[in-house]
Amino acid sequence: MREYVMTRIAFIGLGNMGGGMAANQAKAGREVMAFDLSAAALDKAKAAGCAPAASVAEAVKGADAVITMLPAGPHVRQVYAEQVLPHAPKSALLIDCSTIDVESARAVAAQAKAAGFRFADAPVSGGTAAAEAGTLAFMVGCDEPDFPAIEDIISPMSRVTFRAGDHGAGQAAKICNNMVLGISMIGVCEALALAEKLGLDPVKFHEISSQSSGQCWSLTSYCPWPGPVPTAPSNRDYEGGFATAMMLKDLKLAQEAAAKAGAAAPLGAQAEGLYAVFDRLGFGSRDFSAILKLFRGDLS
């Protein structure tokens, strides 16, 4: 493993994604001050080598970098305005890895810059398994001169890091990417369910389509049918992975962005509607590929 210069990291938000990300910072030999509203999350972070903080203000005091992983735009706006910016040293590099709306990302960036900080929106792709393994893909929106330092801070958690553009570009890349993912997974699930109805073995269909023009990540790397891809959540009853509720959140963000930009995204809207139905049927915590159950008529 690469050796990192000792760096003090404040990590705020230790949920399904943040917990694994903070743990990888600690594994890299960095001093991690971690905070979350959940005592159980703090206990888990402590077991992974992080030092629990009693508040955001305590966590960010003296930090070289602040990393946040929060639920939504309002949380990010509030935490930065009320707790990070007033208490972090001006030299700290601020990196928000939450998936939020582009407008909020740009607003927080402007506020941080006005207060004398360097800031990046850096949402991630890869799900909980990649968060734990340190193999996430990061999409960064930042001032170009700041990118090398951001890339270095992110590296213990990352398989690949892209600078998507200026502030807000990271969020734009994330929601567009996940709109592609949500739509393609629905197409794969429809095809697998149809193959089954037509008497074609879905595993054989996977083999054929994976080497034909239907090939895509949702089919070959994350197959929703159990068996062909041993590491896919379909082999553990769709537990873990990327929750349906999170996919629905990202599709909603994409539709909101499309409406504000005057862009047409009709397939994204259809995908949002289908995942909303699946979420309301009680599958919000299951991996999003479990939507195969909807097309098979098997909602067990």
Side-chain angles (χ1 to χ4, degrees):
M1 177 180 286
R2 172 182 167 186
E3 292 185 4
Y4 295 92
V5 175
M6 175 57 76
T7 304
R8 191 174 190 275
I9 306 291
F11 205 107
I12 315 301
L14 305 168
N16 292 334
M17 296 292 291
M21 294 165 68
N24 280 311
Q25 290 285 350
K27 286 177 188 174
R30 291 173 168 175
E31 179 187 356
V32 182
M33 291 292 291
F35 177 76
D36 194 277
L37 295 174
S38 165
L42 282 172
D43 288 342
K44 188 174 180 181
K46 183 177 181 180
C50 303
S55 65
V56 173
E58 179 182 315
V60 303
K61 184 179 180 181
D64 296 305
V66 177
I67 301 173
T68 49
M69 191 61 156
L70 302 168
H75 304 94
V76 174
R77 287 177 183 255
Q78 182 177 10
V79 167
Y80 274 88
E82 298 178 7
Q83 299 176 70
V84 175
L85 300 183
H87 298 288
K90 299 294 184 185
S91 58
L93 180 58
L94 311 181
I95 304 174
D96 179 45
C97 296
S98 318
T99 297
I100 61 174
D101 59 288
V102 175
E103 185 178 347
S104 287
R106 288 176 176 159
V108 174
Q111 190 176 17
K113 193 168 186 177
F117 289 92
R118 295 169 296 159
F119 176 86
D121 54 289
V124 304
S125 177
T128 56
E132 292 172 3
T135 56
L136 291 165
F138 284 78
M139 294 155 259
V140 180
C142 67
D143 289 337
E144 189 169 7
D146 297 335
F147 182 66
I150 293 162
E151 189 173 24
D152 182 68
I153 293 296
I154 285 172
S155 54
M157 310 178 291
S158 171
R159 173 181 56 82
V160 61
T161 301
F162 300 97
R163 180 177 179 267
D166 294 332
H167 296 116
Q171 298 296 344
K174 171 64 186 287
I175 61 176
C176 290
N177 178 77
N178 277 21
M179 185 171 72
V180 171
L181 178 59
I183 292 168
S184 68
M185 181 58 75
I186 287 171
V188 167
C189 289
E190 285 186 339
L192 286 165
L194 176 60
E196 181 184 32
K197 286 287 187 182
L198 295 175
L200 172 61
D201 180 1
V203 175
K204 177 57 68 174
F205 171 71
H206 171 272
E207 180 186 355
I208 294 168
S209 191
S210 292
Q211 298 179 64
S212 303
S213 56
Q215 187 277 331
C216 64
W217 188 90
S218 293
L219 179 69
T220 57
S221 298
Y222 211 80
C223 183
W225 194 277
V229 180
T231 56
S234 54
N235 296 294
R236 51 182 186 271
D237 199 26
Y238 304 99
E239 296 296 335
F242 186 56
T244 291
M246 293 297 98
M247 174 56 78
L248 178 58
K249 170 194 167 184
D250 290 357
L251 290 168
K252 286 181 179 294
L253 287 172
Q255 286 301 300
E256 290 168 6
K260 289 177 181 178
L267 290 181
Q270 289 290 322
E272 179 198 345
L274 285 167
Y275 278 107
V277 168
F278 196 54
D279 179 59
R280 285 196 291 270
L281 288 170
F283 292 88
S285 64
R286 300 278 194 97
D287 183 78
F288 77 107
S289 63
I291 200 167
L292 174 65
K293 289 177 170 288
L294 187 67
F295 298 110
R296 295 183 71 200
D298 172 23
L299 295 175
S300 58

